Amino acid sequence: MMPTVSAVIPTVGRPSLVRAVESALDQSWPVVEVIIVVDAAATVDLPSDERIKLLHTPFRLGPAKCRQLGIDAARGSAIALLDDDDEWYSTKLELQLTAVGPDVSTPWIGSSRIAVVGPGDRQRVWPRRLIQQGQSVADYLFRFTELRFGGAVLQSSTLCFPTDLARRYRWDAHAGAAHDEPSWLMAVQRAVPDLRLIQVPDVLSTYNVGHVSVSRDPAGNIDDYIEWGLRYLSNESPRLLGDYLCTSPVSAAVSARSLTGLRRSVQSAMRHGRPGLWALGYALLSAARIASSGVETALRR
């Protein structure tokens, strides 16, 4: 039997929620419900549709707990996640579930490519390379093989998986972690040896990065990213840990324009891992970007 799908959307009440919900309702593989988990003291405007189910939380539980609340309330046999500032293409679920195939007895997680929009008019497609059969999530996401981000991505608005999988291995077990999606994906892959990760090569979602969403802060907390790497990647190779510490926390330092934060990230990478040349090159270019932005700011004053 092919899955019935519940869409789960955590939100803090942004106006973009309407577009996200409409894209979930307009699927060629119809959803049985759209569960919206409002993580704010806010009233939300929504389309009129009997499939919409609204949940409210105590103020600001965070995305991991909100997703789990939606998963626990779902009546579909599969969950598809969507952030409140992203959108699905109309064939998103159909193409993903067709790729999963009729063998739904073997645990699976589906993903796809995304159209990345912003800041401003900038557009590109991520990921540039797909996860390989049998490849670990950690190796795919954090081993750096070029000088820019977007080569390897498993973004939340692309994810689809069996409901019982996410009730057995819970998102809220990683509440407060600096990285929601990798924390959960890595835990499930470790616990389920026969897990199928199916990443459709088609672009099936739009990922908007022009503003802060419920699931990400562009400035980030640099030390949280460093601590996440030291905790969640401690059993990985020194190369992988070093690559992570030279890239994800460094990216947060660029957003915060913090050379001090960048230096802490690189020092942690050298102390706890052995970063590769691509990751070290990324950190060096990031330092130049931060220094350049400081000069530009000074010139404007």
Side-chain angles (χ1 to χ4, degrees), residues 76-87:
S77 63
I79 300 294
L81 298 179
L82 179 59
D83 287 346
D84 70 348
D85 56 348
D86 297 336
E87 299 163 55

Side-chain angles (χ1 to χ4, degrees), residues 150-169:
V153 176
L154 292 164
Q155 194 259 346
S156 57
S157 293
T158 71
L159 297 180
C160 185
F161 42 82
T163 304
D164 61 359
L165 186 72
R167 288 176 177 165
R168 196 178 322 131
Y169 308 104

